[in-house]
Amino acid sequence: MYLKFALDIVLLIAALAFIIGLRQQSSPDTARRGNLISGLGMGLAIIAVLFGPLQGAVNNYGWIAGGLIAGSIIGYYAAIKVKMTAMPQFVSLFNGFGGACAVLLGTIELYRASAGITSPGVGELLIICFTLLFGSVAFTGSMLAYAKLDGIVNDAKITLPRHQLINTFLLILTCAISIYISAVEGDISLLFVGTFLVISLIYGFSFVAPIGGADMPVVISLLNSFTGLTSAAAGLIYGSQIMLLGGILVGAAGTILTVMMCNAMNRSLLNVIIGGFGSTAKSGAAAAGSQGPIKEISLPDAAILLYYSKSVVIVPGYGLAVAQAQKDCRELDEQLEENGVSVKYAIHPVAGRMPGHMNVLLAEADVPYPKLLDLDESNPVFPQTDVVIVVGANDVVNPAAQTEPGSPIYGMPVLEVWKAKHVIVMKRGMSKGYAGVENPLFFHERSKMLFGDAKETMQKLVKEVKAL
C-alpha cells in the first residue's frame, strides 16, 4: 500500500515535470532548462514503472536494463556528434524510432490476440489498430523525411502519377482492415496481422512521398504529433496514465505547432499534404527566367554601409546553418553594437528545415532572446531599417509570395525585407530556394548580392568592420 502511494507521488512529480518542461521549451531563454526538467520527469517515470506493474517479472529486468543502457549510449553519442545542420534529420530519425516502438507494441498485441493469449474487446482492438497504423506512418514517414532532408532521396523520383489517389486507397484499405480486425475480435489470423502491418508501413512511406521538401518543417511537426498520439493510445492499451499524459502532451504540442506552421505559410494542412510546393510546381517567376541584372557589393563597401547605419536586421536561413556561421554573425552583431548600431534578427516560422531551427542556431551563438523578432514583429520594422542582411535565406524573403499569383508560394506570409533602405543578400550563387522558386529579391533595386560561403564572408566582413 505504501509502495503504491509512493509510486503515485513519483508519477505525479514526473507528470508535473513533463508539463513544466514543455512550457519552458516554448522560449529559447528557458528551453535548455525545460529539456532537462522533462528528461528528469522521464527518468522518474521509468523508475516508477519498473517498480510498479513489473513487480515479480524478474526475467524482464535484464532485457529492460540492456535496452536502457544501449539506448542511452547511442542517444548520448548521437547527440554530441550531430551537427547543427543535421538537426532536422536527427529529429526526424528520433521521431521515427518513437513510431517504431508503437508499431512493435501494436504488432505484439495483435499477435497475442490472434494466438488467443489475450481477449481484447472491440474498443481495445480499435485502439491497438490505431496505434499500429499511426505508428507506421510516424516510422516510415519520418525515415523518408530524414532521407529527403539529408539529400538521399529526390522528391521527383519517388512520386507516382495520381499519388494522392494511391494514398486515399491505402488509407481506406487500412481503415477497413482495422474495422474487420475489431469486428472479428479473437478470430484473427496471423497472416492477416502481417498484411495489416505491411500495408500500414507502405502507407506511411507513401503518405510523405508526394510532399515537397519546402514543406518538411510542417511534415516533421505533423509526424511528431502522430508519435504522441500513438504513445497516448499505447497508454490506454496498458493502462499507463503517465504514458497517456506524455503522449497527449506531445500530440497536442505537435498539433498546435503544425497549425501555427500552416498559418505562417497561409496554407491549410490539407493543402500541404496534397500540394507540396517543393515538389513539382513551378512559379511564374521561374518560368519567366531572369528578372534583370543583379548588383554586387564589395566587402569594404558592405562594411562601411553597416558601420554607419543606425539599424540593421539580420535574416538567417538554412544557408547560415550549412555554413555554421551563427557565431560569426553574432560577432558582427557585437561589433556593430559597439558602434551604436541597433541590431535585431528577423526569424520566419518556417526558416530552416524544422520548427525553431534558426532559434536553436542563434541560441547556440548566445544571441539574446529579446533581439529575435518573429514574423509579425519584423515586417513593421523593415521600413525604418537602414540595412537588412539576408544570410542564406531564400523562400521566406521572396516577394513573389505577394506579387506572383502563379507562384506556388503565393499568399505565404514572408519577411518584407525589400522595404528596408538597403538589402545585402549573402549567398553562394543564384540558386533557387528549397521550394524551387526564383526569387525576384535578388534583382530588386534596393538589393545587392554578396557572394561566397556565409561563414568565410561573415568573418571577412567582421574584419572589415573592425578596421573602420
Side-chain angles (χ1 to χ4, degrees):
M1 177 180 176
Y2 292 109
L3 177 60
K4 184 180 183 304
F5 177 76
L7 292 176
D8 287 343
I9 294 298
V10 173
L11 287 173
L12 178 60
I13 295 173
L16 289 173
F18 286 165
I19 295 170
I20 294 171
L22 183 63
R23 177 66 183 86
Q24 294 203 344
Q25 288 177 48
S26 64
S27 167
D29 278 349
T30 57
R32 181 181 177 86
R33 183 167 65 249
N35 201 34
L36 292 173
I37 292 173
S38 298
L40 175 63
M42 181 59 72
L44 291 174
I46 292 172
I47 293 171
V49 169
L50 288 177
F51 281 93
L54 294 179
Q55 277 185 323
V58 181
N59 293 335
N60 289 336
Y61 284 110
W63 290 99
I64 293 170
L68 286 172
I69 293 170
S72 298
I73 292 173
I74 294 171
Y76 176 78
Y77 181 80
I80 61 174
K81 289 294 182 181
V82 67
K83 296 180 180 179
M84 290 304 297
T85 50
M87 190 58 68
Q89 296 94 302
F90 188 64
V91 171
S92 292
L93 200 62
F94 272 20
N95 189 61
F97 288 158
C101 291
V103 172
L104 289 174
L105 290 176
T107 304
I108 289 170
E109 290 305 315
L110 284 181
Y111 166 76
R112 283 158 57 87
S114 66
I117 300 173
T118 58
S119 301
V122 175
E124 291 174 285
L125 284 169
L126 277 174
I127 293 173
I128 293 171
C129 290
F130 172 88
T131 302
L132 194 152
L133 174 58
F134 276 78
S136 297
V137 174
F139 173 49
T140 52
S142 294
M143 293 301 103
L144 180 56
Y146 163 80
K148 286 189 175 189
L149 289 167
D150 209 44
I152 299 172
V153 173
N154 184 285
D155 291 335
K157 293 181 180 179
I158 58 173
T159 304
L160 302 174
R162 299 185 179 275
H163 203 121
Q164 294 305 333
L165 289 178
I166 295 173
N167 281 348
T168 303
F169 171 75
L170 289 173
L171 177 60
I172 294 173
L173 182 60
T174 52
C175 290
I177 294 175
S178 299
I179 294 171
Y180 175 78
I181 289 175
S182 304
V184 298
E185 297 191 29
D187 191 19
I188 312 168
S189 70
L190 196 57
L191 178 62
F192 209 75
V193 172
T195 302
F196 180 49
L197 171 62
V198 171
I199 293 175
S200 296
L201 291 171
I202 292 173
Y203 175 62
F205 183 93
S206 183
F207 174 79
V208 175
I211 300 176
D215 290 323
M216 277 300 111
V218 180
V219 174
I220 292 173
S221 180
L222 180 63
L223 293 174
N224 185 61
S225 68
F226 285 174
T227 301
L229 292 175
T230 57
S231 299
L236 290 174
I237 294 172
Y238 295 106
S240 173
Q241 294 178 345
I242 193 68
M243 186 181 289
L244 178 63
L245 174 64
I248 289 173
L249 288 175
V250 173
T255 302
I256 292 170
L257 184 58
T258 301
V259 172
M260 291 175 64
M261 302 282 280
C262 287
N263 290 339
M265 298 165 69
N266 195 32
R267 302 169 70 199
S268 68
L269 180 58
L270 181 63
N271 181 262
V272 171
I273 294 172
I274 293 177
F277 61 61
S279 51
T280 57
K282 299 295 177 184
S283 70
S290 176
Q291 303 279 320
I294 62 168
K295 292 173 286 185
E296 291 189 53
I297 187 171
S298 66
L299 279 166
D301 287 345
I304 292 171
L305 183 60
L306 292 168
Y307 189 81
Y308 291 103
S309 298
K310 292 183 179 179
S311 59
V312 171
V313 174
I314 300 172
V315 179
Y318 188 64
L320 176 115
V322 172
Q324 289 287 278
Q326 61 269 27
K327 293 183 180 179
D328 303 287
C329 198
R330 171 60 174 154
E331 189 176 355
L332 176 64
D333 172 357
E334 292 173 344
Q335 290 296 319
L336 294 175
E337 289 276 9
E338 287 180 7
N339 194 48
V341 181
S342 172
V343 181
K344 299 290 184 183
Y345 296 79
I347 313 295
H348 194 282
V350 294
R353 295 295 185 268
M354 72 175 185
H357 196 184
M358 295 301 105
N359 300 73
V360 173
L361 285 174
L362 296 175
E364 184 192 34
D366 296 322
V367 175
Y369 179 62
K371 282 177 168 283
L372 308 185
L373 306 178
D374 61 25
L375 178 67
D376 292 334
E377 294 172 320
S378 300
N379 282 338
V381 171
F382 289 132
Q384 288 80 45
T385 301
D386 292 323
V387 184
V388 170
I389 311 176
V390 180
V391 189
N394 200 324
D395 300 320
V396 298
V397 293
N398 194 332
Q402 297 181 357
T403 61
E404 295 284 346
S407 171
I409 64 170
Y410 182 72
M412 169 182 167
V414 292
L415 295 167
E416 299 169 350
V417 298
W418 57 89
K419 292 184 177 181
K421 296 176 183 176
H422 302 277
V423 181
I424 299 175
V425 181
M426 295 176 61
K427 278 179 64 70
R428 287 178 178 272
M430 294 296 291
S431 61
K432 299 172 185 175
Y434 207 32
V437 177
E438 190 75 73
N439 193 342
L441 176 68
F442 303 156
F443 312 97
H444 196 278
E445 58 182 4
R446 298 183 184 179
S447 297
K448 292 182 176 64
M449 306 298 295
L450 186 56
F451 293 114
D453 175 80
K455 186 177 183 67
E456 293 178 2
T457 305
M458 192 66 73
Q459 289 174 342
K460 293 176 181 177
L461 192 57
V462 170
K463 290 180 182 179
E464 292 286 348
V465 171
K466 284 182 179 180
L468 293 174

